[in-house]
Amino acid sequence: MKLMDLQSAQSIIPSSAAVRGSIIQREAIAVEHIRIDSIRRYDDVRAALEALPQFDNRIRDLLRDGEIDRVRSELQAIQGDAHLVIFSIAAHGDWLQIVSGKRKAAQYVIGNVLVSTQMTRHRLAAGLYAPLRVMLYENDEGTATLEYDRPSTLFGQFGDKRVTAVAKELDRQIYDVLIHAAG
């Protein structure tokens, strides 16, 4: 079934259905969305947020080569005091030039491999949300806004206490990092 067909048929597809040999399950989940409006300028908040360590892709080479103890050691070393690293930064504001004008906006992918594996080892689908996404943009007042979805509400959908317990620790870690960046 094509995505468009599925979308138009959502009202008639039950929470579980079979389509051409595949089983499709749908479930609505409640997600707590958090918005932090800073009194600081975008550039200042961005600099503070980017003080987090950046993921070192050479660690992937160690993993590929089977050097698991070194992988663990390197992951421990890069995580810093916040226990989080930036995996990537997508400059969404730059792409707006296509339709309007450039804006100050970036999506951050932030997390910790050692933490995410504590969840995905129990529920592989938790990898959908690990690492976390954070959006930073300059708001209409000319200051910075940070938005993200609370980890425990994203991961809570899996109904696994082990996953949710780790996600609750992520709640605190990401909140602390973003409040610090927002100043």
Side-chain angles (χ1 to χ4, degrees):
M1 189 178 250
K2 294 178 185 173
L3 179 60
M4 190 182 296
D5 294 339
L6 179 60
Q7 288 174 338
S8 63
Q10 277 184 338
S11 61
I12 60 171
I13 295 175
S15 62
S16 182
V19 177
R20 294 189 182 153
S22 298
I23 297 173
I24 299 170
Q25 297 178 18
R26 291 188 311 125
E27 182 181 349
I29 62 168
V31 174
E32 182 179 349
H33 185 76
I34 299 173
R35 176 181 168 141
I36 302 167
D37 290 314
S38 175
I39 59 170
R40 297 175 70 194
R41 293 183 13 228
Y42 171 88
D43 293 332
D44 296 335
V45 174
R46 182 174 184 147
L49 188 56
E50 290 181 12
L52 280 175
Q54 301 279 323
F55 183 77
D56 184 347
N57 277 311
R58 291 177 294 184
I59 296 173
R60 294 178 196 278
D61 295 335
L62 296 173
L63 183 65
R64 184 196 63 230
D65 295 341
E67 296 187 45
I68 303 304
D69 290 336
R70 264 198 72 204
V71 167
R72 282 191 193 103
S73 175
E74 293 293 327
L75 290 171
Q76 288 272 332
I78 67 166
Q79 68 184 358
D81 293 338
H83 302 284
L84 296 170
V85 299
I86 296 173
F87 286 88
S88 67
I89 304 169
H92 283 282
D94 292 350
W95 290 106
L96 287 173
Q97 295 176 82
I98 296 169
V99 294
S100 57
K102 184 177 179 177
R103 300 259 326 258
K104 293 182 176 183
Q107 179 203 62
Y108 292 81
V109 177
I110 299 174
N112 181 322
V113 172
L114 297 171
V115 171
S116 66
T117 57
Q118 290 176 37
M119 294 184 287
T120 55
R121 72 192 249 189
H122 301 297
R123 296 295 296 238
L124 284 172
L128 182 61
Y129 303 109
L132 305 169
R133 300 324 182 249
V134 174
M135 191 69 187
L136 167 65
Y137 59 90
E138 184 176 64
N139 58 42
D140 293 339
E141 288 75 40
T143 58
T145 295
L146 292 152
E147 296 196 39
Y148 71 102
D149 294 327
R150 187 172 176 203
S152 61
T153 63
L154 291 170
F155 295 107
Q157 71 179 292
F158 300 113
D160 189 312
K161 292 178 184 178
R162 299 165 296 187
V163 172
T164 304
V166 174
K168 286 182 178 181
E169 181 62 21
L170 275 174
D171 287 350
R172 184 192 59 74
Q173 290 173 335
I174 195 71
Y175 178 82
D176 289 349
V177 162
L178 297 181
I179 288 298
H180 175 75

